[in-house]
């Protein structure tokens, strides 16, 4: 069981995301459980960033705090204030961040987020 966690993300530095993602993505891990792999983190994709089509070995919830992710294949936007859920192994994306603003989102997982699941 995870312990109670209270953090102020404003006092935390952005760290590079794992190498599974293209360079430029950063994160602030708010809470993590080393036994289960469960993670809560803020993730930032810079303006113009392209996240490739992928999946995760866990289910994950995303809430967009700033900016937007645009599905490059369908044009569907998930923007500030919107919520996205993908179950374990679900292939989603690719996602493009518009050129005018970074995208920051909260991600909460039900297990390890990496390694990415590649589309077949």
């Amino acid at each position: 069981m995870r312990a109670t966690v209270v953090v102020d993300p404003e006092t935390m530095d952005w760290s590079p995301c794992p190498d599974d993602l293209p360079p430029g993505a950063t994160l602030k891990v708010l809470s993590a459980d080393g036994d289960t792999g469960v993670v809560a983190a803020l993730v930032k994709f810079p303006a113009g960033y392209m996240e490739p089509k992928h999946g995760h070995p866990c289910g994950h919830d995303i809430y967009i705090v700033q900016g937007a992710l645009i599905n490059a294949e369908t044009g569907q936007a998930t923007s500030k204030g919107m919520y996205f859920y993908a179950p374990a192994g679900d292939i989603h994306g690719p996602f493009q961040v518009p050129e005018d603003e970074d995208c920051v989102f909260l991600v909460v997982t039900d297990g390890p987020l990496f390694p990415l699941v590649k589309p077949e």
Side-chain angles (χ1 to χ4, degrees):
M1 174 186 284
R2 293 189 306 170
T4 300
V5 175
V6 178
V7 297
D8 179 358
E10 293 295 320
T11 66
M12 301 170 72
D13 292 329
W14 291 100
S15 299
C17 281
D19 290 340
D20 291 54
L21 291 174
T26 56
L27 61 85
K28 295 180 180 186
V29 176
L30 306 174
S31 176
D33 184 320
D35 294 332
T36 64
V38 168
V39 172
L42 289 173
V43 178
K44 179 167 57 173
F45 290 165
Y49 187 82
M50 176 67 83
E51 181 184 37
K53 184 177 271 198
H54 67 283
H56 299 275
C58 67
H60 63 294
D61 298 87
I62 290 177
Y63 178 78
I64 306 292
V65 176
Q66 171 188 320
L69 294 173
I70 310 296
N71 185 302
E73 292 179 352
T74 67
Q76 179 181 9
T78 306
S79 55
K80 183 179 177 178
M82 294 179 72
Y83 168 83
F84 173 88
Y85 171 75
D90 177 67
I91 302 298
H92 47 276
F95 294 113
Q96 175 76 50
V97 177
E99 295 287 341
D100 61 340
E101 183 178 24
D102 294 345
C103 181
V104 176
F105 56 90
L106 172 69
V107 61
V108 179
T109 73
D110 61 14
L113 193 60
F114 296 101
L116 292 184
V117 177
K118 304 294 183 181
E120 294 180 14

